[in-house]
Amino acid sequence: MAETEAALRTLAHNVRAARTRAGLTLDELGRRAKVSKGALVGLEKAQGNPNFATLVRLADTLGLSVSALMEGPAEGRVRVVTADAVMPLWAGEKGSEARLMLTTSGPAPVEVWRWKLEPGEEYPSHPHQAGVVETVSVTAGQMVLVVDGTEYAMESGQTATFEGDTPHAYRGSGDRTCHLIMTVHIPPGPAATA
């Protein structure tokens, strides 16, 4: 439980700091990210349990990666992360999960995700900010990538890339668990003022 509380405090600090740097009020951030002001107030007080979609919308609006909202200060020049050390940010009812392993630093960060999709289970993603590019590499099993309503069947050894500013989803297919590595390439600079 102490780890969860520490993670919430770090998230609260990072959201508040990013909002302040961007010069946004709670109302304006809430409007742009489509998150209620009450939820933002709770989040900045390290209360509640924001879901994955909320974190993605906040990160996109603030022009940051999801992990930039969740990570404490850098620990050194090389960072090694094992999958078991990272809590899933999304868990499906059939056992699917998504873990944000790490994010590179710099003006155009890249998130590295490890996904597990059970057959028939789907994660629908909202569109990201303009300029976000996703790459999906299937390492075992089969999946269906849905981008803007079009389905793409993928299997082990295949990689796809697409612009993430359109509705998209990932669905396990076949008869066994699908494993994939996803990278999310975030454009440099703050999010567009929309």
Side-chain angles (χ1 to χ4, degrees), residues 90 94 96 115-125 136 138 140-147 149-155 168-174 176-180 182:
W90 171 73
K94 297 180 181 179
S96 298
W115 284 72
K116 179 174 79 169
L117 292 171
E118 296 300 332
E121 192 152 40
E122 180 173 313
Y123 178 79
S125 179
V136 179
V138 179
Q142 299 173 322
M143 69 169 285
V144 174
L145 172 64
V146 183
V147 178
T150 302
E151 296 188 358
Y152 302 88
M154 296 182 64
E155 60 186 42
H168 52 283
Y170 325 99
R171 182 173 60 240
S173 62
R176 64 185 183 123
T177 303
C178 176
H179 295 272
L180 59 110
M182 174 197 302

Side-chain angles (χ1 to χ4, degrees), residues 24-32 35 37 40:
L24 298 174
T25 64
L26 286 166
D27 287 323
E28 185 62 16
L29 176 58
R31 184 186 69 75
R32 291 182 187 188
V35 176
K37 181 179 178 181
L40 286 174

Side-chain angles (χ1 to χ4, degrees), residues 81-156:
V81 180
T82 60
D84 294 343
V86 179
M87 296 297 296
L89 287 179
W90 171 73
E93 293 179 6
K94 297 180 181 179
S96 298
E97 62 182 30
R99 296 175 189 255
L100 177 56
M101 300 305 295
L102 59 85
T103 301
T104 62
S105 59
V110 176
E111 297 176 345
V112 179
W113 292 80
R114 197 179 285 251
W115 284 72
K116 179 174 79 169
L117 292 171
E118 296 300 332
E121 192 152 40
E122 180 173 313
Y123 178 79
S125 179
H126 80 286
H128 299 289
Q129 66 174 328
V132 170
V133 175
E134 292 193 19
T135 302
V136 179
S137 296
V138 179
T139 59
Q142 299 173 322
M143 69 169 285
V144 174
L145 172 64
V146 183
V147 178
D148 205 18
T150 302
E151 296 188 358
Y152 302 88
M154 296 182 64
E155 60 186 42
S156 182

Side-chain angles (χ1 to χ4, degrees), residues 35-112:
V35 176
S36 74
K37 181 179 178 181
L40 286 174
V41 168
L43 180 65
E44 288 193 4
K45 290 182 177 181
Q47 299 170 345
N49 186 15
N51 65 32
F52 178 48
T54 297
L55 293 176
V56 170
R57 286 195 306 271
L58 286 171
D60 281 350
T61 301
L62 293 167
L64 300 171
S65 65
V66 172
S67 64
L69 291 179
M70 301 179 63
E71 290 180 342
E75 297 176 9
R77 294 182 78 184
V78 176
R79 186 171 151 215
V80 177
V81 180
T82 60
D84 294 343
V86 179
M87 296 297 296
L89 287 179
W90 171 73
E93 293 179 6
K94 297 180 181 179
S96 298
E97 62 182 30
R99 296 175 189 255
L100 177 56
M101 300 305 295
L102 59 85
T103 301
T104 62
S105 59
V110 176
E111 297 176 345
V112 179

